């Protein structure tokens, strides 16, 4: 199992590293140049490099063949916290995009922030109610997860709402102007691809949690982090 986990983690790290390298020039031009007061700048950088650091740590531990320095439950809590942090940062970034589309509507911003924060709290509650029932092997690889952990994936509802708001505003703009708008088309493409990419990792994870009681959940976690870091 350790060998398979190392292989999956390495493939996810390779994908994330490739994506980082191919977009690094844009990152320098459009993100690094922003003021240190820019929320977008820090949301972007934290999402990208927390995920990268997490994958490097996972691989280092797999290669060393040792148990994590924390207890199995402590290490799981750290992993889930990293995943949830990345998810929340991605959603906050999407909120910034959507609110910009709606001319910085303060009421919409408040509602969306409530959804993101509420979803984060609900996800952590789902994890907290199942973590003490999680079972591990000798190397702290999860072998059984309580069904309550599935509740942690309700954040996908928030992301669906953000996608619908993005598409509605973009399509409306294209309809009333009756002309091409490259930036709007780009937001439609990226918003849709982000949602589909997250669905691609969330659905298999939820299925494994329910069908196999989480026996192979560790095999998906690296790609979960890689996809969200790219999102």
């Amino acid at each position: 199992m350790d060998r398979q986990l190392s292989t999956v983690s390495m493939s996810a790290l390779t994908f994330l590293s490739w994506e980082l390298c191919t977009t690094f020039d844009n990152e320098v031009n459009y993100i690094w140049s922003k003021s240190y007061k820019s929320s977008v700048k820090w949301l972007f950088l934290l999402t990208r490099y927390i995920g990268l650091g997490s994958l490097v740590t996972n691989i280092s531990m797999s290669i060393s063949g040792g148990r994590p320095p924390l207890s199995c439950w402590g290490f799981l809590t750290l992993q889930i916290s990293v995943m949830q942090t990345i998810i929340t940062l991605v959603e906050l970034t999407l909120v910034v995009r959507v609110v910009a589309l709606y001319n910085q509507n303060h009421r919409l911003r408040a509602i969306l922030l409530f959804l993101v924060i509420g979803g984060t709290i609900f996800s952590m509650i789902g994890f907290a109610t199942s973590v003490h029932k999680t079972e591990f092997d000798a190397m702290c690889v999860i072998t059984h997860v309580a069904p309550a952990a599935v509740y942690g994936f309700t954040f996908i509802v928030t992301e669906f709402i953000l996608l619908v708001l993005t598409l509605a505003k973009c399509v409306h703009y294209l309809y009333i102007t009756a002309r091409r708008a490259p930036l709007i088309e780009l937001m439609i493409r990226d918003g849709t691809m982000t949602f589909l990419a997250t669905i691609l990792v969330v659905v298999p994870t939820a299925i494994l949690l329910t069908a196999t009681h989480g026996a192979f959940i560790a095999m998906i976690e690296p790609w979960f982090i890689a996809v969200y870091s790219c999102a």
Side-chain angles (χ1 to χ4, degrees):
M1 183 70 172
D2 288 339
R3 183 176 180 180
Q4 290 90 333
L5 182 57
S6 298
T7 301
V8 171
S9 297
M10 185 62 74
S11 65
L13 177 60
T14 300
F15 170 75
L16 179 57
S17 299
W18 170 81
E19 205 274 340
L20 285 169
C21 290
T22 56
T23 59
F24 189 69
D25 56 338
N26 285 330
E27 180 179 324
V28 172
N29 291 332
Y30 301 116
I31 301 298
W32 289 16
S33 60
K34 285 184 175 294
S35 166
Y36 70 91
K37 297 180 181 180
S38 170
S39 59
V40 172
K41 178 176 184 175
W42 296 112
L43 285 171
F44 181 92
L45 293 176
L46 286 173
T47 306
R48 301 276 271 183
Y49 293 104
I50 287 177
L52 181 64
S54 176
L55 290 177
V56 170
T57 301
N58 283 350
I59 292 173
S60 299
M61 288 176 43
S62 298
I63 292 176
S64 65
R67 286 170 58 92
L70 303 172
S71 67
C72 293
W73 285 276
F75 183 62
L76 176 62
T77 300
L78 179 61
Q79 286 182 304
I80 295 298
S81 297
V82 169
M83 290 174 62
Q84 185 58 59
T85 298
I86 293 174
I87 291 169
T88 302
L89 289 171
V90 169
E91 291 184 342
L92 289 174
T93 304
L94 294 175
V95 166
V96 171
R97 283 165 43 113
V98 170
V99 172
L101 277 174
Y102 286 81
N103 297 319
Q104 303 297 334
N105 186 295
H106 298 297
R107 181 175 298 178
L108 178 63
R109 180 189 288 112
I111 293 173
L112 293 179
L113 288 177
F114 175 79
L115 286 175
V116 171
I117 295 172
T120 299
I121 294 173
F122 192 78
S123 294
M124 295 311 293
I125 290 175
F127 167 70
T129 57
S130 61
V131 63
H132 65 285
K133 300 177 183 178
T134 304
E135 299 175 4
F136 307 87
D137 64 12
M139 299 306 298
C140 283
V141 175
I142 297 173
T143 58
H144 183 275
V145 176
V150 178
Y151 300 147
F153 294 101
T154 53
F155 60 82
I156 203 68
V157 175
T158 301
E159 294 179 16
F160 178 73
I161 292 173
L162 291 170
L163 174 66
V164 170
L165 288 171
T166 300
L167 294 179
K169 192 66 174 180
C170 290
V171 171
H172 174 70
Y173 177 83
L174 294 175
Y175 176 77
I176 62 174
T177 59
R179 60 185 175 84
R180 292 194 61 186
L183 181 60
I184 297 298
E185 293 174 359
L186 182 65
M187 293 189 72
I188 292 176
R189 187 200 70 183
D190 286 359
T192 304
M193 287 180 63
T194 297
F195 181 75
L196 293 178
T198 54
I199 285 291
L200 192 63
V201 292
V202 168
V203 172
T205 304
I207 291 175
L208 282 178
L209 277 174
T210 53
T212 69
H213 302 291
F216 300 99
I217 194 65
M219 305 294 287
I220 289 183
E221 187 250 356
W223 275 99
F224 195 106
I225 291 176
V227 169
Y228 263 88
S229 292
C230 292

